[in-house]
């Protein structure tokens, strides 16, 4: 015998009496009631339904005995699985049915249950709320227990679906059997103990849930057992203390407490339950009682006192008379008023305004169930708390829950403390309102418990899910260079735009550093200094040659070509300065063209010198035909033709596909290299190839002339200078191709400086040595005489 259920029965009677005494609601109409105990059995529930619809001791389908006081509606069942069976039967006849405790989402299907309503929110909303609560506290690794009924199975399916959508994961999911099984209980206990999940959702009713002796967990209770005093006891508090549960919003019913404690067996002779209730409440036995539902202690010789009728209910502290937090009881109360208001609207019909065919109104004692069903669907009123009561298109009320916390107060009493609420009619993001500071967690913890499979990945890292495991079990992998993750628990790293790069923390894209060989750069400054210094040395050499232009050693080595070669070498040293600084379109074009033309001029001068040495020696024979080539015309022609071909190559290059500045973002990580693109790679290598060809010809010709007699033979020096020149540029090719950025430019400048310095040093430094330090050797007699100049 459940005191809580008996309180629901008395609440129906109280509400009907209250309505009958209210003049503004159903005037001149008196409501009555019939109550049937289904004993939590499908067969009895269906039998009771037929008994109500036929109003005869013999249940006869499709037959009604009482035509003067027709059945209006049925309130019940409390459990979902019984409500489903009753709703299928009542739906055939379109009798309105209102449940105050059946929450299974299936009952919202109007195609199957056209006449079903309820004053408690559907589990579809509750399941969604449970998952939102988990997400609110950041729990991503939870367990699930559900009873093996329609209520538990459908609720668990919805929870699993919502958990999957929210990004959380189930550590385990187990069903609670309808009948106690020690083996199953041990299995569930082992699963919970082995799991790392610290939060467990229990979606069940009080009939099937027996708390397990497992501490240190956060239990999330569905509304079916969240306020069950049979479970919330001091014996279970070490396990269930700190439980968070969803409960139907509580309400107050003025006068109910007085009514509940005012019942008495002698006053309610038609109440077939009251005598058994009295015996259970006071632990007594009525004299000559034939009740078989009492405890064995009522048998003779047990010492059980007789009930006298003088006992007082107000002296008891039992669940029946506790009206401190009316939840399901308030749903029962609301259900009665919903039927009354629907009847009132039916009776308030004005002629010609009837919603039914013909426009005729129906009377309160002469209507069909489907006619009242129409008014039930459209009923809307405010209860005594000022809250609006209505049903949506599925027969469900507004989804509002209280979130309660099981706590032990300082005075040692157990209480359900409201710590938040959910309201799906609220604005998005405000469906759940929590007072976290008011929550008392299991074990006296002050912080919100942790329940994750893997710790959250910080910014700069992405989640790498373990193969074959839920998505909540993962490793944190640092983002690669150029990628960021600016949110925690990022599933992917986002690649930075091409002109940006990731910072050190990998959580923000920052501008890439710009690189080019600048004058402020230490390497750029060094190369600039060397270039200028080398150019000054070359200019000084030119000045020496001009000053001593009439001396034999200057005249003997074709001074006009020497002047031109020194001028070209000066320009070679200076053109390297164009390679330093921020690349622009003009400088990019000048770099390649000036470098190619000036160097070709230098090599052409060397080639002309070499040819003149050979011609000079071979023209000493009086009969030689080479004598006509002696003079300034041939070297000038060699220089002009050699340089002109390079000029033509450069003009064709610059007009067709000239070099241009570009931002190279791929060569070096995290840097933008500002460099000159050759434009046409073929033209660039043609320019270098032509210059190399002239150098090789000069080297070969000079090498062949190195042993010609005479002190003024400079072929040996030209041979060595060309060897240095060719060696430098052969080494330049792999170095140039293997470097990037400012280092590639530095390699090119180094090749220019080294090859130019080789020509300057090998050809002119020995002559300067004689001119400045050995003037006695700078005579015609010495050059033509006995001493070997080569020494």
């Amino acid at each position: 015998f459940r005191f809580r259920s008996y309180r629901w029965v008395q609440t129906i009677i109280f509400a009907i009496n209250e309505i009958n005494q209210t003049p503004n609601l159903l005037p001149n109409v008196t409501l009555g009631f019939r109550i049937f105990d289904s004993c939590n059995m499908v067969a009895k529930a269906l039998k009771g339904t037929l008994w109500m619809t036929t109003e005869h001791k013999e249940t006869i389908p499709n037959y009604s005995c009482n035509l003067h006081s027709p059945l209006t509606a049925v309130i019940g069942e409390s459990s979902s699985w019984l409500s489903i069976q009753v709703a299928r039967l009542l739906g055939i006849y379109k009798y309105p049915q209102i449940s105050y405790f059946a929450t299974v989402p299936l009952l919202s299907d109007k195609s199957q249950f056209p006449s079903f309503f309820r004053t408690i929110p559907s589990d579809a909303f509750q399941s969604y709320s449970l998952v939102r609560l988990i997400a609110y506290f950041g729990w991503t690794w939870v367990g699930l227990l559900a009873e093996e009924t329609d209520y538990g199975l459908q609720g668990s399916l919805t929870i699993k679906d919502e958990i999957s959508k929210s990004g959380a994961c189930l550590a385990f999911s187990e069903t609670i059997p309808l009948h106690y099984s020690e083996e199953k209980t041990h299995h569930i206990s082992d699963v919970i103990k082995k799991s790392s999940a610290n939060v467990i959702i229990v979606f069940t009713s009080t009939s099937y849930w027996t708390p397990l002796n497992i501490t240190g967990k956060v239990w999330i209770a569905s509304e079916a057992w969240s306020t069950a005093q049979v479970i919330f006891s001091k014996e279970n508090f070490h396990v269930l203390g700190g439980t968070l549960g969803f409960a139907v919003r509580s309400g107050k019913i003025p006068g109910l407490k007085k009514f509940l404690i005012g019942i008495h067996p002698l006053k309610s002779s038609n109440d077939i339950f009251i005598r058994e209730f009295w015996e259970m409440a006071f632990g007594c036995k009525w004299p000559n009682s034939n009740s078989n539902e009492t405890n064995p202690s009522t048998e003779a010789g047990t010492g059980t006192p007789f009930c006298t009728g003088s006992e007082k209910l107000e002296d008891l502290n039992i669940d029946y008379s506790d009206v401190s937090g009316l939840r399901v009881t308030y749903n029962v109360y609301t259900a009665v008023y919903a039927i009354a208001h629907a009847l009132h609207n039916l009776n308030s019909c004005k002629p010609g305004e009837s919603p039914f065919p013909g426009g005729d109104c129906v009377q309160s004692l002469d209507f069909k169930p489907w006619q009242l069903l129409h008014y039930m669907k459209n009923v809307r009123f405010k209860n005594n708390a000022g809250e609006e009561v209505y049903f949506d298109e599925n027969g469900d009320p507004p989804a509002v829950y209280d979130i309660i916390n099981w706590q032990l107060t300082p005075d040692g009493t157990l209480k359900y403390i409201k710590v938040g609420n959910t309201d799906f009619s609220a604005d998005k993001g405000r469906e759940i309102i929590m007072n976290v500071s008011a929550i008392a967690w299991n074990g006296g913890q002050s912080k919100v418990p942790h329940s994750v499979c893997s710790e959250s990945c910080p910014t700069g890292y992405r989640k790498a899910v373990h193969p074959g495991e839920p998505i909540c079990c993962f490793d944190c992998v640092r983002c690669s260079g150029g990628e960021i993750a600016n949110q925690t628990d990022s599933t992917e790293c986002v690649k930075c735009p091409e002109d940006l790069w990731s910072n050190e923390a990998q959580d923000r894209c920052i501008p890439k550093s710009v690189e080019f060989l600048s004058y402020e750069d230490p390497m750029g400054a060094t190369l600039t200094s060397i270039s200028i210094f080398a150019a000054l040395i070359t200019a000084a050499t030119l000045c020496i040659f001009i000053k001593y232009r009439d001396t034999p050693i200057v005249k003997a080595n074709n001074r006009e070509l020497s002047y031109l070669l020194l001028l070209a070498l000066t320009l070679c040293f200076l053109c390297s300065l164009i390679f330093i600084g921020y690349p622009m379109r003009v400088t990019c074009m000048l770099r390649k063209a000036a470098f190619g033309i000036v160097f070709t001029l230098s090599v052409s001068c060397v080639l002309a010198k070499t040819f003149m040495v050979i011609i000079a020696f071979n023209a000493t024979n009086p009969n030689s035909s080479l004598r006509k080539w002696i003079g300034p015309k041939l070297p000038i022609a060699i220089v002009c033709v050699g340089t002109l071909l390079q000029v033509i190559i450069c003009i064709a290059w610059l007009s067709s596909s000239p070099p241009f500045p570009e931002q190279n973002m791929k060569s070096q990580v995290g840097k933008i290299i500002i460099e000159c693109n050759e434009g046409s790679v073929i033209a660039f290598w043609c320019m270098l190839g032509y210059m190399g060809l002239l150098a090789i010809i000069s080297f070969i010709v000079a090498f062949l002339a190195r042993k010609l007699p005479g002190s003024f033979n400079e072929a040996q020096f030209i041979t060595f200078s060309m060897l240095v020149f060719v060696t430098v540029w052969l080494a330049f090719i792999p170095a140039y191709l293997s470097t990037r950025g400012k280092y590639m430019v530095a390699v090119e400048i180094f090749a220019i400086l080294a090859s130019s310095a080789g020509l300057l040093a090998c050809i002119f430094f020995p002559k300067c040595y004689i001119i400045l330090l050995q003037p006695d050797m700078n005579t015609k007699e010495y050059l033509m005489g006995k001493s070997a100049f080569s020494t």
Side-chain angles (χ1 to χ4, degrees), residues 17 59 69 83 168 183-184 196 230 244 320 399 413 421 445 450 515 564 570 573 593 678 707 758 764 784 791:
N17 290 340
T59 55
S69 182
S83 293
E183 180 181 357
K184 182 67 173 178
S196 59
V230 66
L244 289 175
Y320 164 78
T413 59
N421 67 273
Q445 299 181 61
H450 218 39
E515 182 182 273
L564 185 58
T570 303
F573 286 119
E678 287 85 0
K707 293 184 178 180
F764 292 101
M784 301 296 292
T791 60

PDB file of all heavy atoms in Angstrom, residues 17 59 69 83 168 183-184 196 230 244 320 399 413 421 445 450 515 564 570 573 593 678 707 758 764 784 791:
ATOM      1  N   ASN A  17     -14.383  18.148  -5.256  1.00  0.00           N
ATOM      2  CA  ASN A  17     -15.202  18.850  -4.265  1.00  0.00           C
ATOM      3  C   ASN A  17     -15.026  20.363  -4.386  1.00  0.00           C
ATOM      4  O   ASN A  17     -15.983  21.136  -4.275  1.00  0.00           O
ATOM      5  CB  ASN A  17     -14.822  18.403  -2.851  1.00  0.00           C
ATOM      6  CG  ASN A  17     -15.261  16.978  -2.569  1.00  0.00           C
ATOM      7  OD1 ASN A  17     -16.152  16.431  -3.243  1.00  0.00           O
ATOM      8  ND2 ASN A  17     -14.650  16.341  -1.566  1.00  0.00           N
ATOM      9  N   THR A  59     -17.911  -6.257 -17.699  1.00  0.00           N
ATOM     10  CA  THR A  59     -17.286  -5.373 -18.695  1.00  0.00           C
ATOM     11  C   THR A  59     -17.709  -5.786 -20.090  1.00  0.00           C
ATOM     12  O   THR A  59     -17.376  -6.870 -20.573  1.00  0.00           O
ATOM     13  CB  THR A  59     -15.752  -5.448 -18.573  1.00  0.00           C
ATOM     14  OG1 THR A  59     -15.349  -6.815 -18.673  1.00  0.00           O
ATOM     15  CG2 THR A  59     -15.296  -4.905 -17.232  1.00  0.00           C
ATOM     16  N   SER A  69     -25.558   9.916 -16.523  1.00  0.00           N
ATOM     17  CA  SER A  69     -24.322  10.510 -15.982  1.00  0.00           C
ATOM     18  C   SER A  69     -23.145   9.914 -16.742  1.00  0.00           C
ATOM     19  O   SER A  69     -22.474   9.018 -16.269  1.00  0.00           O
ATOM     20  CB  SER A  69     -24.194  10.207 -14.481  1.00  0.00           C
ATOM     21  OG  SER A  69     -23.032  10.809 -13.955  1.00  0.00           O
ATOM     22  N   SER A  83      -0.194   3.155 -19.133  1.00  0.00           N
ATOM     23  CA  SER A  83      -0.918   4.222 -19.829  1.00  0.00           C
ATOM     24  C   SER A  83      -1.022   3.928 -21.321  1.00  0.00           C
ATOM     25  O   SER A  83      -2.020   4.260 -21.961  1.00  0.00           O
ATOM     26  CB  SER A  83      -0.209   5.570 -19.620  1.00  0.00           C
ATOM     27  OG  SER A  83      -0.298   5.969 -18.262  1.00  0.00           O
ATOM     28  N   ALA A 168      29.200  14.485 -26.439  1.00  0.00           N
ATOM     29  CA  ALA A 168      29.604  13.661 -25.292  1.00  0.00           C
ATOM     30  C   ALA A 168      29.524  12.182 -25.672  1.00  0.00           C
ATOM     31  O   ALA A 168      29.108  11.829 -26.776  1.00  0.00           O
ATOM     32  CB  ALA A 168      28.717  13.970 -24.086  1.00  0.00           C
ATOM     33  N   GLU A 183      22.566 -11.689 -10.170  1.00  0.00           N
ATOM     34  CA  GLU A 183      23.636 -11.769 -11.169  1.00  0.00           C
ATOM     35  C   GLU A 183      23.717 -10.469 -11.979  1.00  0.00           C
ATOM     36  O   GLU A 183      24.808  -9.944 -12.215  1.00  0.00           O
ATOM     37  CB  GLU A 183      23.372 -12.951 -12.104  1.00  0.00           C
ATOM     38  CG  GLU A 183      24.447 -13.119 -13.179  1.00  0.00           C
ATOM     39  CD  GLU A 183      24.140 -14.284 -14.114  1.00  0.00           C
ATOM     40  OE1 GLU A 183      23.127 -14.987 -13.892  1.00  0.00           O
ATOM     41  OE2 GLU A 183      24.919 -14.474 -15.076  1.00  0.00           O
ATOM     42  N   LYS A 184      22.569  -9.944 -12.408  1.00  0.00           N
ATOM     43  CA  LYS A 184      22.538  -8.701 -13.178  1.00  0.00           C
ATOM     44  C   LYS A 184      23.009  -7.523 -12.328  1.00  0.00           C
ATOM     45  O   LYS A 184      23.731  -6.641 -12.806  1.00  0.00           O
ATOM     46  CB  LYS A 184      21.123  -8.453 -13.697  1.00  0.00           C
ATOM     47  CG  LYS A 184      20.969  -7.202 -14.556  1.00  0.00           C
ATOM     48  CD  LYS A 184      21.697  -7.301 -15.878  1.00  0.00           C
ATOM     49  CE  LYS A 184      21.401  -6.121 -16.772  1.00  0.00           C
ATOM     50  NZ  LYS A 184      22.125  -6.163 -18.042  1.00  0.00           N
ATOM     51  N   SER A 196      35.685   4.627 -15.856  1.00  0.00           N
ATOM     52  CA  SER A 196      36.254   5.884 -15.374  1.00  0.00           C
ATOM     53  C   SER A 196      35.226   7.002 -15.314  1.00  0.00           C
ATOM     54  O   SER A 196      35.540   8.112 -14.909  1.00  0.00           O
ATOM     55  CB  SER A 196      37.416   6.307 -16.282  1.00  0.00           C
ATOM     56  OG  SER A 196      36.970   6.461 -17.627  1.00  0.00           O
ATOM     57  N   VAL A 230      11.238   6.800  -0.621  1.00  0.00           N
ATOM     58  CA  VAL A 230      11.583   5.414  -0.314  1.00  0.00           C
ATOM     59  C   VAL A 230      13.052   5.135  -0.667  1.00  0.00           C
ATOM     60  O   VAL A 230      13.683   4.242  -0.100  1.00  0.00           O
ATOM     61  CB  VAL A 230      10.647   4.446  -1.077  1.00  0.00           C
ATOM     62  CG1 VAL A 230      10.877   4.534  -2.576  1.00  0.00           C
ATOM     63  CG2 VAL A 230      10.843   3.011  -0.600  1.00  0.00           C
ATOM     64  N   LEU A 244      21.809  14.844  -8.396  1.00  0.00           N
ATOM     65  CA  LEU A 244      21.058  15.882  -9.107  1.00  0.00           C
ATOM     66  C   LEU A 244      19.901  15.216  -9.830  1.00  0.00           C
ATOM     67  O   LEU A 244      20.084  14.184 -10.485  1.00  0.00           O
ATOM     68  CB  LEU A 244      21.953  16.598 -10.118  1.00  0.00           C
ATOM     69  CG  LEU A 244      23.037  17.514  -9.553  1.00  0.00           C
ATOM     70  CD1 LEU A 244      23.906  18.040 -10.688  1.00  0.00           C
ATOM     71  CD2 LEU A 244      22.431  18.681  -8.788  1.00  0.00           C
ATOM     72  N   TYR A 320       2.196  10.467   3.022  1.00  0.00           N
ATOM     73  CA  TYR A 320       0.814  10.773   2.639  1.00  0.00           C
ATOM     74  C   TYR A 320       0.446  12.225   2.933  1.00  0.00           C
ATOM     75  O   TYR A 320      -0.148  12.929   2.094  1.00  0.00           O
ATOM     76  CB  TYR A 320      -0.138   9.822   3.353  1.00  0.00           C
ATOM     77  CG  TYR A 320      -1.584  10.280   3.327  1.00  0.00           C
ATOM     78  CD1 TYR A 320      -2.375  10.124   2.190  1.00  0.00           C
ATOM     79  CD2 TYR A 320      -2.182  10.870   4.457  1.00  0.00           C
ATOM     80  CE1 TYR A 320      -3.689  10.554   2.159  1.00  0.00           C
ATOM     81  CE2 TYR A 320      -3.495  11.305   4.433  1.00  0.00           C
ATOM     82  CZ  TYR A 320      -4.245  11.137   3.283  1.00  0.00           C
ATOM     83  OH  TYR A 320      -5.552  11.558   3.254  1.00  0.00           O
ATOM     84  N   ALA A 399       7.069  22.328 -21.165  1.00  0.00           N
ATOM     85  CA  ALA A 399       8.157  21.544 -20.560  1.00  0.00           C
ATOM     86  C   ALA A 399       8.923  22.398 -19.566  1.00  0.00           C
ATOM     87  O   ALA A 399       9.785  23.204 -19.933  1.00  0.00           O
ATOM     88  CB  ALA A 399       9.085  21.017 -21.639  1.00  0.00           C
ATOM     89  N   THR A 413      18.547  16.388   8.809  1.00  0.00           N
ATOM     90  CA  THR A 413      17.406  15.956   8.000  1.00  0.00           C
ATOM     91  C   THR A 413      17.784  15.955   6.516  1.00  0.00           C
ATOM     92  O   THR A 413      18.648  16.713   6.077  1.00  0.00           O
ATOM     93  CB  THR A 413      16.200  16.888   8.226  1.00  0.00           C
ATOM     94  OG1 THR A 413      16.585  18.227   7.876  1.00  0.00           O
ATOM     95  CG2 THR A 413      15.746  16.842   9.672  1.00  0.00           C
ATOM     96  N   ASN A 421      16.532  25.314 -12.668  1.00  0.00           N
ATOM     97  CA  ASN A 421      15.310  24.945 -13.374  1.00  0.00           C
ATOM     98  C   ASN A 421      15.559  24.964 -14.884  1.00  0.00           C
ATOM     99  O   ASN A 421      16.521  25.565 -15.364  1.00  0.00           O
ATOM    100  CB  ASN A 421      14.153  25.879 -13.009  1.00  0.00           C
ATOM    101  CG  ASN A 421      14.368  27.295 -13.498  1.00  0.00           C
ATOM    102  OD1 ASN A 421      14.995  28.102 -12.808  1.00  0.00           O
ATOM    103  ND2 ASN A 421      13.870  27.605 -14.680  1.00  0.00           N
ATOM    104  N   GLN A 445      32.645  17.316  -1.718  1.00  0.00           N
ATOM    105  CA  GLN A 445      33.515  18.065  -2.617  1.00  0.00           C
ATOM    106  C   GLN A 445      32.991  19.493  -2.784  1.00  0.00           C
ATOM    107  O   GLN A 445      31.780  19.717  -2.829  1.00  0.00           O
ATOM    108  CB  GLN A 445      33.578  17.398  -3.991  1.00  0.00           C
ATOM    109  CG  GLN A 445      34.141  15.988  -3.977  1.00  0.00           C
ATOM    110  CD  GLN A 445      34.189  15.405  -5.370  1.00  0.00           C
ATOM    111  OE1 GLN A 445      34.857  15.934  -6.255  1.00  0.00           O
ATOM    112  NE2 GLN A 445      33.481  14.307  -5.584  1.00  0.00           N
ATOM    113  N   HIS A 450      34.751  15.896 -11.936  1.00  0.00           N
ATOM    114  CA  HIS A 450      35.260  15.735 -13.300  1.00  0.00           C
ATOM    115  C   HIS A 450      34.780  14.399 -13.842  1.00  0.00           C
ATOM    116  O   HIS A 450      34.820  13.385 -13.149  1.00  0.00           O
ATOM    117  CB  HIS A 450      36.789  15.749 -13.237  1.00  0.00           C
ATOM    118  CG  HIS A 450      37.431  16.453 -14.379  1.00  0.00           C
ATOM    119  ND1 HIS A 450      36.935  17.608 -14.926  1.00  0.00           N
ATOM    120  CD2 HIS A 450      38.540  16.146 -15.108  1.00  0.00           C
ATOM    121  CE1 HIS A 450      37.718  17.987 -15.913  1.00  0.00           C
ATOM    122  NE2 HIS A 450      38.701  17.110 -16.055  1.00  0.00           N
ATOM    123  N   GLU A 515      61.668  38.656 -45.428  1.00  0.00           N
ATOM    124  CA  GLU A 515      63.115  38.496 -45.531  1.00  0.00           C
ATOM    125  C   GLU A 515      63.618  38.914 -46.912  1.00  0.00           C
ATOM    126  O   GLU A 515      63.072  38.492 -47.935  1.00  0.00           O
ATOM    127  CB  GLU A 515      63.512  37.041 -45.257  1.00  0.00           C
ATOM    128  CG  GLU A 515      65.014  36.821 -45.307  1.00  0.00           C
ATOM    129  CD  GLU A 515      65.391  35.370 -45.088  1.00  0.00           C
ATOM    130  OE1 GLU A 515      65.556  34.966 -43.914  1.00  0.00           O
ATOM    131  OE2 GLU A 515      65.494  34.628 -46.090  1.00  0.00           O
ATOM    132  N   LEU A 564      89.806  49.824 -70.327  1.00  0.00           N
ATOM    133  CA  LEU A 564      88.413  49.362 -70.476  1.00  0.00           C
ATOM    134  C   LEU A 564      88.102  48.213 -69.525  1.00  0.00           C
ATOM    135  O   LEU A 564      87.026  48.174 -68.916  1.00  0.00           O
ATOM    136  CB  LEU A 564      88.167  48.932 -71.924  1.00  0.00           C
ATOM    137  CG  LEU A 564      86.720  48.537 -72.274  1.00  0.00           C
ATOM    138  CD1 LEU A 564      85.756  49.696 -71.986  1.00  0.00           C
ATOM    139  CD2 LEU A 564      86.622  48.096 -73.743  1.00  0.00           C
ATOM    140  N   THR A 570      85.392  47.690 -62.336  1.00  0.00           N
ATOM    141  CA  THR A 570      84.803  48.615 -61.344  1.00  0.00           C
ATOM    142  C   THR A 570      83.286  48.527 -61.359  1.00  0.00           C
ATOM    143  O   THR A 570      82.627  48.479 -60.305  1.00  0.00           O
ATOM    144  CB  THR A 570      85.250  50.055 -61.647  1.00  0.00           C
ATOM    145  OG1 THR A 570      86.674  50.115 -61.657  1.00  0.00           O
ATOM    146  CG2 THR A 570      84.707  51.014 -60.600  1.00  0.00           C
ATOM    147  N   PHE A 573      82.082  45.302 -59.670  1.00  0.00           N
ATOM    148  CA  PHE A 573      82.004  45.398 -58.203  1.00  0.00           C
ATOM    149  C   PHE A 573      80.797  46.224 -57.767  1.00  0.00           C
ATOM    150  O   PHE A 573      80.105  45.889 -56.812  1.00  0.00           O
ATOM    151  CB  PHE A 573      83.297  46.004 -57.649  1.00  0.00           C
ATOM    152  CG  PHE A 573      84.480  45.078 -57.678  1.00  0.00           C
ATOM    153  CD1 PHE A 573      85.618  45.398 -58.400  1.00  0.00           C
ATOM    154  CD2 PHE A 573      84.445  43.879 -56.981  1.00  0.00           C
ATOM    155  CE1 PHE A 573      86.711  44.548 -58.426  1.00  0.00           C
ATOM    156  CE2 PHE A 573      85.540  43.013 -57.000  1.00  0.00           C
ATOM    157  CZ  PHE A 573      86.666  43.334 -57.729  1.00  0.00           C
ATOM    158  N   ALA A 593      70.387  42.235 -65.981  1.00  0.00           N
ATOM    159  CA  ALA A 593      70.894  42.821 -67.229  1.00  0.00           C
ATOM    160  C   ALA A 593      72.264  43.466 -67.024  1.00  0.00           C
ATOM    161  O   ALA A 593      73.211  43.233 -67.799  1.00  0.00           O
ATOM    162  CB  ALA A 593      69.896  43.842 -67.766  1.00  0.00           C
ATOM    163  N   GLU A 678      63.233  35.286 -62.027  1.00  0.00           N
ATOM    164  CA  GLU A 678      63.947  35.503 -63.291  1.00  0.00           C
ATOM    165  C   GLU A 678      63.026  35.787 -64.457  1.00  0.00           C
ATOM    166  O   GLU A 678      63.464  36.291 -65.495  1.00  0.00           O
ATOM    167  CB  GLU A 678      64.815  34.283 -63.631  1.00  0.00           C
ATOM    168  CG  GLU A 678      66.059  34.134 -62.775  1.00  0.00           C
ATOM    169  CD  GLU A 678      65.763  33.405 -61.482  1.00  0.00           C
ATOM    170  OE1 GLU A 678      64.583  33.036 -61.299  1.00  0.00           O
ATOM    171  OE2 GLU A 678      66.669  33.230 -60.659  1.00  0.00           O
ATOM    172  N   LYS A 707     103.086  29.603 -73.113  1.00  0.00           N
ATOM    173  CA  LYS A 707     104.525  29.319 -73.233  1.00  0.00           C
ATOM    174  C   LYS A 707     105.196  30.114 -74.343  1.00  0.00           C
ATOM    175  O   LYS A 707     106.313  29.807 -74.740  1.00  0.00           O
ATOM    176  CB  LYS A 707     104.734  27.826 -73.461  1.00  0.00           C
ATOM    177  CG  LYS A 707     104.350  26.982 -72.255  1.00  0.00           C
ATOM    178  CD  LYS A 707     104.665  25.505 -72.469  1.00  0.00           C
ATOM    179  CE  LYS A 707     104.310  24.681 -71.236  1.00  0.00           C
ATOM    180  NZ  LYS A 707     104.616  23.245 -71.430  1.00  0.00           N
ATOM    181  N   GLY A 758      89.238  37.948 -58.842  1.00  0.00           N
ATOM    182  CA  GLY A 758      90.206  37.055 -59.493  1.00  0.00           C
ATOM    183  C   GLY A 758      90.818  37.689 -60.719  1.00  0.00           C
ATOM    184  O   GLY A 758      92.044  37.615 -60.940  1.00  0.00           O
ATOM    185  N   PHE A 764      96.223  42.446 -62.960  1.00  0.00           N
ATOM    186  CA  PHE A 764      96.728  43.798 -62.728  1.00  0.00           C
ATOM    187  C   PHE A 764      97.636  43.943 -61.501  1.00  0.00           C
ATOM    188  O   PHE A 764      98.459  44.852 -61.451  1.00  0.00           O
ATOM    189  CB  PHE A 764      95.552  44.770 -62.615  1.00  0.00           C
ATOM    190  CG  PHE A 764      94.801  44.949 -63.912  1.00  0.00           C
ATOM    191  CD1 PHE A 764      93.597  44.299 -64.128  1.00  0.00           C
ATOM    192  CD2 PHE A 764      95.333  45.739 -64.924  1.00  0.00           C
ATOM    193  CE1 PHE A 764      92.921  44.451 -65.322  1.00  0.00           C
ATOM    194  CE2 PHE A 764      94.646  45.897 -66.126  1.00  0.00           C
ATOM    195  CZ  PHE A 764      93.441  45.248 -66.341  1.00  0.00           C
ATOM    196  N   MET A 784     112.630  43.770 -72.801  1.00  0.00           N
ATOM    197  CA  MET A 784     113.100  43.136 -74.028  1.00  0.00           C
ATOM    198  C   MET A 784     114.404  42.367 -73.791  1.00  0.00           C
ATOM    199  O   MET A 784     114.878  41.671 -74.691  1.00  0.00           O
ATOM    200  CB  MET A 784     113.362  44.206 -75.109  1.00  0.00           C
ATOM    201  CG  MET A 784     112.160  45.051 -75.461  1.00  0.00           C
ATOM    202  SD  MET A 784     110.849  44.063 -76.214  1.00  0.00           S
ATOM    203  CE  MET A 784     111.661  43.649 -77.749  1.00  0.00           C
ATOM    204  N   THR A 791     109.712  35.782 -63.586  1.00  0.00           N
ATOM    205  CA  THR A 791     110.198  35.643 -62.223  1.00  0.00           C
ATOM    206  C   THR A 791     109.688  36.743 -61.326  1.00  0.00           C
ATOM    207  O   THR A 791     109.835  36.640 -60.105  1.00  0.00           O
ATOM    208  CB  THR A 791     111.732  35.640 -62.198  1.00  0.00           C
ATOM    209  OG1 THR A 791     112.187  36.889 -62.753  1.00  0.00           O
ATOM    210  CG2 THR A 791     112.264  34.497 -63.023  1.00  0.00           C
TER     211      THR A 791
END
